[in-house]
Amino acid sequence: MKKRNFNKWKVFTIVVLSIYTVTMLWHYFKPIPENISYQSDTYRVNDDQVDFYYNVTGEKNGEKKFTDQIFKRTLEIIDEADEFIVLDYFLFNSYHEKKKEYPAITDKITKKLIEKKKANPDMKVIFISDEVNTSYLSHEVPQFEQMKKAGIEVVLTNTDPLRDSTPVYSGVWRMFFQWFGQSGNGWIPNALAETAPDMTLRSYLKIFNVKANHRKTITTEKTAMISSANPHDASAEFTNVAFEVKNVLVNDMLVSEKAAANTRREVEFPEKVKKPAERGDIKVRLLTENKIENALVKEINNSKKGDEIWVAIFYLADRDIVDALTDAANRGAKTNIIMDTNKHSFGQKKNGLPNIPMSEELKEDSDGKINIRWFAPTPEQFHAKMLYIKGEQESTIISGSANFTARNIGDFNLESDVQITAPNDKEIVQDVDQYFHTLWENKGAEYTADFDEHYEDTATLKRGVYTFQKLLNLTTY
């Protein structure tokens, strides 16, 4: 009898493990939804159709110096729209640390959108965002509720149709926990923000899937802005970059954003606009998800001796990009990287992963040819995500929401970037070039610090921790 019971448990265990393995592998490799991992055609535009904006925090004479171009332009784009507005932002809320004040950018944009909708009741306004703002459906977000009452369609994307970036955990979650949902009366203190409402246990369980709609875009019938900046109070003074492309990317943005919204439900989107005739010698295209990685690696691999490679990045951990940067430096491309130290996040101290150990690897494998500087001001984050390759006659820029990590550009998250290729005498190239030199050389304020200032003796140990985490995909990067 005991042997028979033992055999039953043995069979049961084999069946459960088999289901778990199949579930884990399917959701790691499954087909992605239509128009996710999207790449537009390449369009030709003139100088006046492409603009570069940045937000940056520096220190001068012991005081913080903040420049805001991105959110100022965002509000202007809303004002200028006549037919429709489609926004997609990962973080959009006013929750933050206690006893600290932040710029109320979330309320500013909410108010501006509501005013626009009231003045133009027939205008289609769609606001797409991520469940993280509701602490994974544990509570409502006041700004979202205000927009809904004004007739603005708010869509929280559903990341379940996306591939699982943490398959070891997500296999268990999909088998046992997803069926119970997340909504309800929260009772556990909120780890995402001190002033946010309590969370349910089921919401906490969903967090560990570590997937997100991480995009930061605004599109109207006239223009599209693709950014690294979240209009989120606690992130308002982070250093970020944005690129605006007028006219030509609008229809592709609508296709891409509809695909994001449709992960939740079928959403009626605005009609495509009439595309203007192409002109000029600046080339632009939209890239999302894994198409971003393909473009980044291709451009770095195509760099030659004497080219300049500049990287501004919050997280750098993608194996293909790291190897490509190392190879480029070793064949003679001058490679400069500005990185966040990854030691601060919304009032919490962090351990420097992945950038601290990754910086050691880059230095070591390039025999010191790769130059690295750290973003200096704290606790603000260096949240930019940009590659700029300056060739002999033309340059390429790739920038947007995507960190250079497998999680961000491996078809797990939703991400949006723009690629711009232009002759070196064009204003867009000169603006980006000036931006990098300003930060690198600390022109007008202290923005960056020497590599040795933040390098740690523990970097080798952290490199081992990083390698183990990456092996099991148990990271946020």
Side-chain angles (χ1 to χ4, degrees):
M1 190 68 164
K2 288 183 178 179
K3 186 175 182 180
R4 185 180 298 174
N5 288 338
F6 174 78
N7 287 336
K8 285 182 179 179
W9 278 110
K10 186 177 180 181
V11 170
F12 176 76
T13 302
I14 291 172
V15 169
V16 171
L17 288 176
S18 297
I19 295 172
Y20 168 70
T21 302
V22 170
T23 300
M24 180 174 61
L25 292 175
W26 166 252
H27 288 287
Y28 187 72
F29 293 107
K30 68 185 179 183
I32 54 178
E34 185 181 8
N35 293 324
I36 301 297
S37 206
Y38 180 85
Q39 177 177 296
S40 76
D41 292 335
T42 298
Y43 306 103
R44 291 186 172 272
V45 299
N46 264 334
D47 264 346
D48 60 358
Q49 289 178 270
V50 183
D51 290 295
F52 171 58
Y53 301 95
Y54 60 83
N55 287 4
V56 64
T57 295
E59 293 183 1
K60 187 174 183 179
N61 300 324
E63 295 185 0
K64 292 288 176 68
K65 175 184 176 183
F66 178 65
T67 300
D68 172 19
Q69 295 181 352
I70 298 173
F71 298 136
K72 180 181 177 182
R73 179 58 189 150
T74 301
L75 294 168
E76 292 173 351
I77 289 173
I78 295 170
D79 274 334
E80 294 167 4
D82 292 323
E83 298 177 17
F84 63 81
I85 308 172
V86 177
L87 310 98
D88 190 347
Y89 290 110
F90 170 55
L91 288 176
F92 192 83
N93 66 71
S94 54
Y95 303 127
H96 54 75
E97 305 157 58
K98 292 179 180 177
K99 300 179 181 178
K100 193 162 183 180
E101 295 184 2
Y102 294 92
I105 187 59
T106 306
D107 281 338
K108 280 184 182 179
I109 290 180
T110 300
K111 182 180 178 182
K112 180 69 70 174
L113 288 170
I114 291 172
E115 289 174 352
K116 190 71 176 181
K117 182 66 175 176
K118 286 182 177 178
N120 305 269
D122 295 330
M123 174 181 281
K124 190 78 171 175
V125 182
I126 302 173
F127 196 107
I128 305 167
S129 193
D130 188 81
E131 289 179 344
V132 68
N133 298 286
T134 62
S135 302
Y136 298 91
L137 306 183
S138 282
H139 56 79
E140 294 180 340
V141 175
Q143 291 85 357
F144 289 165
E145 299 308 307
Q146 293 166 23
M147 285 192 276
K148 290 176 186 177
K149 288 179 182 177
I152 295 170
E153 186 160 11
V154 178
V155 183
L156 299 184
T157 47
N158 177 17
T159 58
D160 291 352
L162 304 179
R163 291 173 180 163
D164 289 343
S165 56
T166 313
V168 173
Y169 172 78
S170 295
V172 175
W173 181 82
R174 286 186 180 275
M175 286 177 65
F176 300 110
F177 303 124
Q178 67 168 326
W179 318 108
F180 300 102
Q182 296 97 246
S183 60
N185 295 320
W187 56 279
I188 305 175
N190 198 311
L192 300 176
E194 289 180 341
T195 62
D198 290 344
M199 294 175 61
T200 66
L201 175 60
R202 288 162 290 133
S203 292
Y204 266 105
L205 291 172
K206 183 157 189 183
I207 288 177
F208 299 124
N209 290 296
V210 198
K211 294 195 296 185
N213 172 9
H214 195 242
R215 295 177 177 180
K216 305 102 169 52
T217 68
I218 178 170
T219 307
T220 72
E221 77 283 354
K222 298 176 180 177
T223 194
M225 178 186 275
I226 299 168
S227 176
S228 67
N230 292 300
H232 163 241
D233 288 9
S235 306
E237 294 185 345
F238 289 178
T239 291
N240 282 291
V241 294
F243 291 86
E244 180 180 0
V245 180
K246 296 180 177 68
N247 306 125
V248 296
L249 290 183
V250 170
N251 290 337
D252 293 285
M253 291 294 296
L254 292 178
V255 170
S256 174
E257 291 304 330
K258 181 173 174 58
N262 284 356
T263 59
R264 175 63 60 184
R265 63 177 185 272
E266 188 70 27
V267 178
E268 183 181 348
F269 260 60
E271 295 293 325
K272 291 185 177 181
V273 301
K274 184 177 180 181
K275 209 177 321 186
E278 291 185 45
R279 55 193 175 91
D281 48 6
I282 298 174
K283 293 177 282 188
V284 299
R285 64 174 177 167
L286 172 68
L287 304 166
T288 74
E289 290 77 60
N290 188 241
K291 297 299 190 293
I292 300 169
E293 181 185 42
N294 294 344
L296 289 167
V297 172
K298 180 180 178 181
E299 294 301 329
I300 297 170
N301 285 339
N302 287 343
S303 63
K304 303 181 294 294
K305 182 178 181 180
D307 289 352
E308 294 180 22
I309 299 176
W310 293 84
V311 174
I313 196 66
F314 178 59
Y315 278 161
L316 174 57
D318 181 79
R319 188 75 263 153
D320 290 340
I321 294 175
V322 169
D323 290 344
L325 287 170
T326 302
D327 291 344
N330 285 333
R331 66 174 172 265
K334 184 178 179 181
T335 305
N336 299 324
I337 304 175
I338 303 173
M339 308 171 81
D340 190 84
T341 62
N342 300 154
K343 292 182 178 180
H344 301 274
S345 179
F346 302 111
Q348 302 294 320
K349 288 188 176 180
K350 295 179 63 183
N351 58 11
L353 294 173
N355 287 356
I356 295 293
M358 191 52 62
S359 69
E360 179 188 54
E361 177 178 333
L362 289 164
K363 283 281 192 180
E364 181 181 298
D365 292 353
S366 69
D367 292 326
K369 298 183 189 72
I370 293 179
N371 307 301
I372 297 173
R373 291 185 66 81
W374 302 103
F375 183 63
T378 57
E380 291 78 20
Q381 293 178 350
F382 187 69
H383 200 249
K385 304 99 168 44
M386 176 162 56
L387 170 72
Y388 162 51
I389 301 179
K390 185 176 183 181
E392 186 177 352
Q393 296 183 330
E394 71 173 17
S395 297
T396 294
I397 302 155
I398 300 175
S399 185
S401 68
N403 288 300
F404 296 176
T405 76
R407 189 176 301 281
N408 292 94
I409 50 180
D411 283 340
F412 301 114
N413 274 7
L414 295 175
E415 306 281 355
S416 291
D417 273 34
V418 63
Q419 179 170 348
I420 302 167
T421 302
N424 289 340
D425 62 352
K426 294 299 180 181
E427 186 176 354
I428 189 69
V429 173
Q430 294 175 0
D431 287 348
V432 170
D433 194 83
Q434 183 181 26
Y435 170 82
F436 272 104
H437 281 280
T438 296
L439 299 189
W440 194 266
E441 299 164 24
N442 289 324
K443 294 180 179 179
E446 183 187 13
Y447 300 110
T448 59
D450 289 341
F451 175 76
D452 291 341
E453 189 166 327
H454 286 283
Y455 178 75
E456 302 174 356
D457 291 336
T458 59
T460 302
L461 174 62
K462 289 181 178 179
R463 190 168 169 181
V465 174
Y466 156 81
T467 302
F468 176 75
Q469 288 180 331
K470 288 291 286 180
L471 183 66
L472 296 179
N473 282 5
L474 297 175
T475 71
T476 57
Y477 42 80

